[in-house]
Amino acid sequence: MIDNEITIIGAGVIGLAIADKLSESGKNIVVLDKEPTFGQEISSRNSEVIHAGLYYPPNSLKAKTCIRGRELLYDLCQTHNIGHKKLGKLVVASNDAEIEKIEKIYENATQCGVKNLRLLKEKEISELEPAVCAKEAIFSPDSGIIDTHALMDFFFHKAKEKGVMFSFSTEVIGVKKQNNDYEITVKEPSGETFAFITPTVINSAGLYADKIAQMPGINIEDAAYKLHYCKGQYFRIAHPKKFSINHLVYPPATKIDLGIHLTLDLGGGLRLGPDAKYIPSIDYNINEADSAYFYESVQKFLPSLSQDDLIPDTAGIRPKLQKETEDFRDFVINEESDKGFGRFINLIGIESPGLTGCLAIAEIVEKLANT
Ligand SMILES: Cc1cc2nc3c(=O)[nH]c(=O)nc-3n(C[C@H](O)[C@H](O)[C@H](O)COP(=O)(O)OP(=O)(O)OC[C@H]3O[C@@H](n4cnc5c(N)ncnc54)[C@H](O)[C@@H]3O)c2cc1C
C-alpha cells in the first residue's frame, strides 16, 4: 500500500519551497523533519542576502538558479509582503591585486548574464557609502536582503493550506528500495519507529543530505556526494548607527567563500561574516578570539571600525561538496534513475546561493518529479 505519493525529507527553505511548488499537483505529499519545527538548521543561520549571481561559473546550476531565483524571490516578496529590501551591494577592492580580482568577478557576472552592474572609482564609492574606503568597486544594485523566517513561514502555511502534511520531530533513519517504491523508516522522540511506502523521495536534508542519499544504497564516494562541513561565524556591530552603512559591502570572494563581508538586516543591524573553516562535526560555538581576524579583514575597507565594536553573534555551517583543496563544485539536483534509484531526487551541497535560488531549485525539482 502506498501511504504518500511524494515524501520530502527536510523542512528547510529548500524542502519548504519544493513542498509549496508541488502542492499545486494535488498529490498526497508529506514533509518530514527531525526538528520540532521548520528551518532550524542552515536556513536559520545564514546572511539572508538575495544574491545577484556574480561569482558562479556561467551555466552552472548555482549561477542559473541564483539569477532566476532572485527574480522569482523579489516578485514573491512584493506580491505577498514578505520582508525584504533591494539595498544594492558593493564588492570593494582595497589594493591593485584586489582590483584585478573584482574585475574578473565583473567579467564573470557579465558572462552569466547579470545586468545593471557598474564599476565605480574611489570618489563614486565614497559618495555612495561615505564610511567605506576602497580604490575600486563593483556596484550591484539588484542584491538585497530578506527575512528568511518570514519566507519559510509563507511556504509552510501555503503548502499546508493546499493539503501538504508536515511531520516534525520525525527523523528518517532508513530508506529501502522496494520494487519501484521506497520504504521510509522514521524515529519519533519517544524512540518509537515506524515505516511507510512512497514512490517518490525528495532528499533536501541539508547537512545530512549525503547520509540520506546513502540509505537506499547510493555509493556516495563513487557519486562524489560526500559532504564536508565548513563553518561560518558572525560578529555583530554593537552600535550600527555609528557607521550609517546603507549597502552590503563585500571584499573579493576567495576560492571557498565570499570573504568576510558587512551585511545589514531588516532591523538596521550590521553584521560581519561569515568566515570559513572546515570542521569535522557540527559545532555552532563562536571563538571570541577570532574577532581580531574579523576586525582586520573589515577595517581595510571600513577604517572607522574598532575591534571593540564587535560582539559575537551566531554561526552557520555550509554543506560543501568541495573539499578544502578542491575547486568549484556545483549543486547536485539529480533524479537517480542512472544509479538504479528512479524517482529518488537528491539535493546535495545546497550551500549559498541556495536561499536566493530556492524558487528556481523548486522549479527544477518539479520537472524531475513529473518525468
Ligand atoms: C553561513 C552561511 C551563510 C549563507 N548565506 C546565504 C546568503 O546570504 N544567501 C543565500 O542565498 N544563501 C546563503 N546560504 C545558503 C543557504 O542558507 C542554504 O542554501 C539553505 O538554507 C539550505 O536550505 P536547506 O533546506 O537545504 O537546508 P536546511 O535549512 O538545513 O534544512 C534541512 C532540513 O533537513 C532536516 N533533516 C536533516 N536530516 C534529517 C533526517 N534524517 N530526518 C528528517 N529531517 C532531517 C533538518 O532538520 C533541516 O531542517 C548561507 C549558508 C551558510 C551556512
Side-chain angles (χ1 to χ4, degrees), residues 299-360:
Q299 195 266 347
K300 272 203 304 191
F301 57 84
L302 187 66
S304 50
L305 185 71
S306 102
Q307 199 173 329
D308 297 337
D309 291 320
L310 307 190
I311 41 179
D313 196 47
T314 55
I317 296 174
R318 305 169 183 88
K320 276 199 175 287
L321 285 163
Q322 179 189 359
K323 288 184 195 149
E324 201 164 359
T325 49
E326 264 181 344
D327 284 332
F328 176 82
R329 285 285 307 272
D330 207 354
F331 291 155
V332 166
I333 307 176
N334 208 23
E335 195 275 338
E336 303 290 2
S337 285
D338 60 342
K339 298 182 187 65
F341 299 94
R343 308 197 66 77
F344 192 99
I345 299 169
N346 274 320
L347 294 108
I348 308 183
I350 312 297
E351 51 168 330
S352 193
L355 166 62
T356 309
C358 64
L359 291 164

Side-chain angles (χ1 to χ4, degrees), residues 87-331:
L87 294 172
K89 151 173 158 177
L90 287 165
V91 185
V92 297
S94 305
N95 54 45
D96 289 349
E98 289 189 350
I99 289 179
E100 212 175 295
K101 285 186 189 166
I102 67 163
E103 288 179 351
K104 278 197 184 132
I105 294 172
Y106 183 87
E107 213 175 286
N108 181 74
T110 311
Q111 276 177 26
C112 287
V114 180
K115 304 216 164 46
N116 304 331
L117 299 179
R118 278 196 295 143
L119 277 174
L120 305 183
K121 295 291 180 200
E122 208 164 339
K123 188 164 165 282
E124 295 164 292
I125 300 166
S126 60
E127 279 165 9
L128 197 66
E129 203 57 273
V132 171
C133 186
K135 286 190 157 185
E136 197 172 302
I138 304 172
F139 180 53
S140 162
D142 294 330
S143 304
I145 51 174
I146 182 166
D147 178 344
T148 316
H149 189 82
L151 176 69
M152 291 194 284
D153 198 56
F154 169 81
F155 288 143
F156 172 65
H157 284 102
K158 192 157 154 268
K160 231 174 127 179
E161 271 167 31
K162 294 253 176 190
V164 174
M165 284 180 298
F166 285 85
S167 184
F168 293 115
S169 301
T170 305
E171 183 182 0
V172 174
I173 56 167
V175 180
K176 212 193 285 172
K177 192 155 190 276
Q178 267 205 0
N179 305 317
N180 290 328
D181 297 322
Y182 295 91
E183 183 189 72
I184 310 275
T185 305
V186 299
K187 187 166 99 185
E188 294 187 323
S190 62
E192 219 170 290
T193 65
F194 68 92
F196 64 90
I197 300 291
T198 189
T200 303
V201 182
I202 297 171
N203 167 18
S204 51
L207 294 167
Y208 303 92
D210 58 344
K211 301 200 171 49
I212 299 287
Q214 207 168 21
M215 286 179 182
I218 292 175
N219 184 323
I220 59 167
E221 295 292 347
D222 291 354
Y225 284 175
K226 194 168 167 20
L227 286 173
H228 309 277
Y229 294 150
C230 182
K231 180 173 172 181
Q233 308 178 102
Y234 292 90
F235 282 80
R236 187 163 284 280
I237 291 189
H239 303 289
K241 287 205 176 108
K242 181 172 142 190
F243 301 95
S244 54
I245 296 287
N246 296 304
H247 301 87
L248 307 166
V249 188
Y250 285 57
T254 75
K255 220 166 85 169
I256 55 167
D257 72 337
L258 300 183
I260 295 194
H261 45 265
L262 201 54
T263 54
L264 283 148
D265 59 38
L266 288 164
L270 259 183
R271 284 202 302 169
L272 310 186
D275 60 351
K277 193 171 172 204
Y278 278 77
I279 51 167
S281 54
I282 306 283
D283 158 26
Y284 294 116
N285 291 321
I286 306 288
N287 182 1
E288 291 194 26
D290 287 343
S291 74
Y293 169 65
F294 276 69
Y295 162 70
E296 277 159 29
S297 308
V298 174
Q299 195 266 347
K300 272 203 304 191
F301 57 84
L302 187 66
S304 50
L305 185 71
S306 102
Q307 199 173 329
D308 297 337
D309 291 320
L310 307 190
I311 41 179
D313 196 47
T314 55
I317 296 174
R318 305 169 183 88
K320 276 199 175 287
L321 285 163
Q322 179 189 359
K323 288 184 195 149
E324 201 164 359
T325 49
E326 264 181 344
D327 284 332
F328 176 82
R329 285 285 307 272
D330 207 354
F331 291 155

Side-chain angles (χ1 to χ4, degrees), residues 10 12 14 33-34 41-43 46-47 49 172 234 350-351 354 356:
I14 301 297
D33 201 293
K34 62 183 173 50
E41 295 199 323
I42 314 171
S43 301
N46 59 55
S47 302
V49 171
V172 174
Y234 292 90
I350 312 297
E351 51 168 330
T356 309

